[in-house]
């Protein structure tokens, strides 16, 4: 294994150890719940980071993918009796197709058309969640979503979901890390830095951008489905455009192009609204403000700043 | 020698500038074909058309018998046609080794799924990519700089890095846009030697250069562009006697490094 690989799996083992011991200390269900929400955000941000930090494209629609994952999986299992895991997979497939449809026309254009397209997409999805109330339950939300189960045992308690969600995070991190340190990952970094040279080297720029966008949307979808089966109830407000801003903020706080950065960003920002009442009240201003301050003073994010390095898209994440 | 690259009637207009007018040119495999001409003659534009960066208004380009105009840039690399850039285009934040590894992109296959799952195919391929990239770095004398970010390399080393990246995927034809511009005489001599070695591997080279000493020394064929028009193509000796070429290069013989 390469030195980089050793370092990554060293960190990963440390993370796994902390996660294994944490429930011994954190027994209060309220705090366990916070940890679970952190896990789901980390999962979304990990996918988002592949898009923003490596391919250099920004999405303001990831809350919508998160929401589609939640609603599709919730409705299929709640209203149509699908097995929850099957519903989760079906949701991921649908989201992948939706991402393909959004990505194909926008990512072939130069410039950040994806931002506009995903922004509009998130607004539309939010409206549909409210308006299609026969299916979605409207503004008050969709209820009665069954839990996922593990060999017949329901994953309903905070602690059992804790193992599932953080297990998913570890898998998500490994997959993302493998991608980043591969031929494809180098291609993504290359197309971001010098598109002409990347193309001249054989990197199919458009296809790669579309594919990484789809992958990042699927990360969000899986997290959304997990969310739906955990809470059993979902409301449209959870998946609005402000949630998308929140996710991008987490990604940038931690450091674009650093998978550990995404973890820190999500771990740092997720609990704020839940733990501090003031933040809860002015949540959207809070995240918007952080984003603004960061982009001005700390564009490399926390991890980048700690490493004392300048902006490194897809740089030495590990 | 049958032509590997054939350009016919290539015309490009940028606003009021006719950058190329019905340009014809051929480049055979395993030979160095120089493309020379004064500043603004249209040399880079010609390279850009062939490599899919600029869409010409008229003309045809075929590579190994296949029409390539309109193909996406990355497809050309897969066919075995690579290039370097007059204005450096290294991946500045990636290290030198990774830069060259990107050059192996067209010569490898593992996709997103294989990468995420680290399938055995991918691991084997990754090893081959790394070994070839290391081989390229030593061929160009960059092995000590393998782990330096490309942006921190000296200008001459970045020039070499581009050559290494373009050669890594074992292309059949390389388009080199001023590979020694801005380099001193010793570096120019060294890179000239390496370009000849590349040719000796059976790879065709199209060499755009202003350094006439180098051009006349290493080229098998020379094509001369002036104001977007191809005014001559022939052996270095023929080109040096061509009255129209001599008129274009006002300095006459000295420009071609004939004094030595
Ligand atoms: N993208 C562009 N837009 C407008 N004009 C262009 C563009 N690219 C090139 N030109 C013009 O086309 C002409 C040919 O330029 P080109 O770069 O091909 O010349 P060149 O032979 O490579 O010159 P040099 O030796 O200086 O590199 C010039 O007049 C240049 O200004
Ligand atoms: Mg030029």
């Amino acid at each position: 294994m390469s030195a980089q690989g050793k370092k990554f799996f060293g960190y990963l083992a440390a993370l796994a150890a902390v996660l294994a011991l944490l429930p011994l200390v954190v027994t209060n269900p309220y705090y366990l719940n916070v940890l679970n929400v952190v896990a789901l955000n980390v999962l979304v941000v990990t996918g988002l980071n592949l898009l923003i930090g490596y391919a250099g494209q920004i999405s303001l629609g990831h809350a919508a993918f998160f929401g589609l994952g939640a609603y599709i999986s919730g409705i299929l299992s709640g209203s149509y009796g699908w097995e929850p895991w099957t519903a989760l997979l079906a949701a991921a497939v649908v989201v992948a197709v939706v991402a393909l449809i959004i990505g194909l026309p926008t990512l072939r254009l130069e410039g950040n058309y994806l931002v506009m397209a995903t922004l509009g997409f998130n607004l539309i999805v939010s409206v549909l969640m409210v308006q299609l109330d026969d299916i979605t339950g409207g503004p008050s939300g969709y209820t009665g979503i069954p839990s996922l189960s593990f060999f017949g045992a329901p994953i309903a308690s905070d602690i059992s979901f804790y193992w599932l969600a953080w297990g998913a995070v570890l898998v998500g991190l490994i997959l993302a890390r493998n991608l980043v340190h591969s031929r494809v990952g180098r291609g993504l970094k290359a197309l971001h830095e010098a598109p002409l040279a990347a193309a001249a080297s054989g990197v199919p720029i458009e296809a790669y951008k579309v594919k990484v966008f789809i992958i990042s949307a699927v990360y969000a979808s899986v997290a959304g489905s997990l969310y739906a089966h955990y809470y059993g109830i979902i409301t449209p407000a959870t998946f609005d455009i402000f949630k998308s801003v929140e996710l991008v903020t987490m990604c940038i706080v931690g450091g674009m192009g650093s998978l550990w950065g995404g973890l820190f960003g999500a771990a740092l920002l997720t609990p704020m609204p839940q733990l501090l009442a003031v933040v809860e009240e002015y949540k959207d201003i809070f995240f918007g403000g952080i984003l603004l301050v960061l982009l001005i003073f700390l564009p490399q994010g926390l991890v980048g700043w700690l490493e004392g390095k300048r902006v490194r898209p897809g740089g030495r994440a590990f | 020698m049958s032509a590997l690259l054939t350009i016919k009637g290539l015309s490009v207009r940028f606003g009021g500038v006719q950058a190329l007018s019905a340009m014809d040119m051929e480049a055979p495999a395993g030979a160095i074909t120089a493309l020379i001409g004064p500043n603004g003659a249209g040399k880079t534009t010609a390279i850009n058309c062939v490599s899919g960066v600029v869409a010409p208004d008229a003309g045809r380009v075929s590579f190994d018998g296949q029409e390539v105009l309109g193909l996406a840039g990355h497809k050309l690399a897969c066919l075995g046609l690579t290039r370097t850039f007059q204005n450096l285009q290294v991946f500045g934040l990636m290290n030198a080794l990774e830069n060259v590894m990107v050059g192996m992109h067209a010569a490898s296959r593992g996709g997103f799924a294989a990468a995420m799952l680290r399938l055995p195919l991918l691991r084997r391929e990754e090893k081959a990519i790394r070994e070839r990239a290391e081989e390229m770095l030593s061929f160009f004398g960059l092995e000590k700089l393998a782990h330096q970010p490309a942006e921190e390399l000296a200008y001459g080393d970045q020039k070499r890095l581009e050559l290494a990246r373009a050669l890594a995927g074992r292309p059949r034809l390389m388009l080199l846009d001023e590979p020694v511009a801005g380099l001193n005489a010793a570096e120019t001599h060294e890179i000239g030697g390496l370009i000849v070695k590349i040719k000796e591997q059976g790879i065709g080279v199209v060499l755009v250069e202003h350094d006439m000493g180098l051009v006349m020394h290493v080229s098998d064929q020379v094509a001369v562009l002036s104001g977007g028009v191809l005014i001559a193509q022939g052996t270095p000796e023929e080109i040096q006697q061509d009255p129209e070429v001599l008129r274009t290069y006002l300095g006459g013989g000295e420009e071609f490094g004939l004094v030595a």
Side-chain angles (χ1 to χ4, degrees), chain B residues 81-117:
Chain B
L81 194 155
T82 61
R83 66 168 291 182
T84 62
F85 295 84
Q86 181 172 359
N87 305 316
L88 286 169
Q89 296 275 337
V90 297
F91 310 122
L93 304 176
M94 297 164 79
N95 68 33
L97 184 68
E98 288 173 314
N99 266 264
V100 183
M101 288 170 87
V102 174
M104 285 288 286
H105 206 92
S108 48
R109 294 196 321 277
F112 279 74
M116 293 181 91
L117 300 173

Side-chain angles (χ1 to χ4, degrees), chain B residues 14 17 19 38-45 86 178 210:
Chain B
F14 293 115
V17 182
N39 291 112
K43 306 177 298 291
T44 297
T45 304
Q86 181 172 359
E178 306 204 11
H210 285 290

Side-chain angles (χ1 to χ4, degrees), chain A:
Chain A
M1 193 183 288
S2 67
Q4 275 177 329
K6 284 204 185 95
K7 201 168 157 205
F8 172 82
F9 284 102
Y11 284 155
L12 198 75
L15 174 65
V18 170
L19 290 173
L21 296 176
L22 217 47
L24 298 177
V25 190
V26 184
T27 45
N28 180 331
Y30 180 77
Y31 292 116
L32 264 182
N33 171 264
V34 172
L35 286 174
N36 290 345
V37 179
V38 169
L40 296 176
N41 282 337
V42 172
L43 203 52
V44 184
V45 170
T46 300
L48 197 55
N49 218 331
L50 293 175
L51 180 74
I52 299 183
Y54 292 86
Q57 295 286 325
I58 291 184
S59 161
L60 281 178
H62 265 53
F65 294 127
F66 185 61
L68 281 180
Y71 269 88
I72 296 172
S73 196
I75 291 170
L76 283 179
S77 55
S79 301
Y80 298 93
W82 286 42
E83 202 285 316
W85 285 110
T86 318
L88 175 145
L89 285 181
V93 172
V94 173
V95 164
V97 173
V98 172
L100 174 71
I101 293 168
I102 297 174
L104 261 190
T106 46
L107 286 168
R108 61 199 321 176
L109 303 171
E110 262 172 57
N112 262 316
Y113 287 89
L114 189 70
V115 182
M116 310 302 290
T118 48
L119 177 72
F121 168 68
N122 209 330
L123 294 173
I124 293 169
V125 168
S126 291
V127 169
L128 289 179
M129 284 172 182
V130 173
Q131 296 295 325
L132 299 178
D133 50 1
D134 288 350
I135 311 170
T136 62
S140 52
Y142 183 86
T143 54
I145 303 168
S147 305
L148 292 157
S149 58
F150 185 71
F151 291 109
I155 307 174
S157 65
D158 290 310
I159 184 66
S160 57
F161 188 78
Y162 172 89
W163 298 118
L164 173 66
W166 283 101
V169 166
L170 294 184
V171 172
L173 280 173
I174 292 174
L175 295 180
R177 186 265 166 200
N178 283 350
L179 183 70
V180 166
H181 289 286
S182 74
R183 163 184 186 270
V184 173
R186 285 187 297 271
L188 288 170
K189 289 183 239 174
L191 70 83
H192 184 189
E193 280 205 64
L196 287 182
S201 304
V203 179
I205 293 185
E206 286 166 18
Y208 270 27
K209 282 188 193 164
V210 173
K211 284 180 186 173
V212 79
F213 179 56
I214 292 174
I215 287 172
S216 76
V218 168
Y219 267 81
S221 172
V222 170
S225 299
L226 293 176
Y227 177 92
H229 294 290
Y230 172 45
Y231 278 95
I233 170 169
I234 46 182
T235 52
T238 316
F239 312 107
D240 62 12
I241 182 71
F242 294 111
K243 174 74 179 181
S244 282
V245 174
E246 211 177 296
L247 292 166
V248 171
T249 310
M250 289 174 186
C251 192
I252 294 177
V253 164
M256 288 178 273
S258 156
L259 295 177
W260 295 121
L263 183 87
F264 285 120
L268 200 69
L269 294 188
T270 308
M272 297 258 179
Q274 309 209 19
L275 300 181
L276 300 170
V278 199
V279 177
E280 163 81 83
E281 189 137 351
Y282 301 101
K283 190 164 138 236
D284 302 331
I285 297 178
F286 175 73
F287 281 110
I290 290 188
L291 192 57
L292 202 67
V293 171
L294 269 173
L295 287 177
I296 296 170
F297 295 108
L298 211 65
Q300 70 276 52
L302 283 185
V303 168
W305 177 67
L306 287 173
E307 286 179 349
K309 288 184 183 143
R310 59 182 215 73
V311 191
R312 286 189 178 277
R316 313 268 181 73
F318 306 106

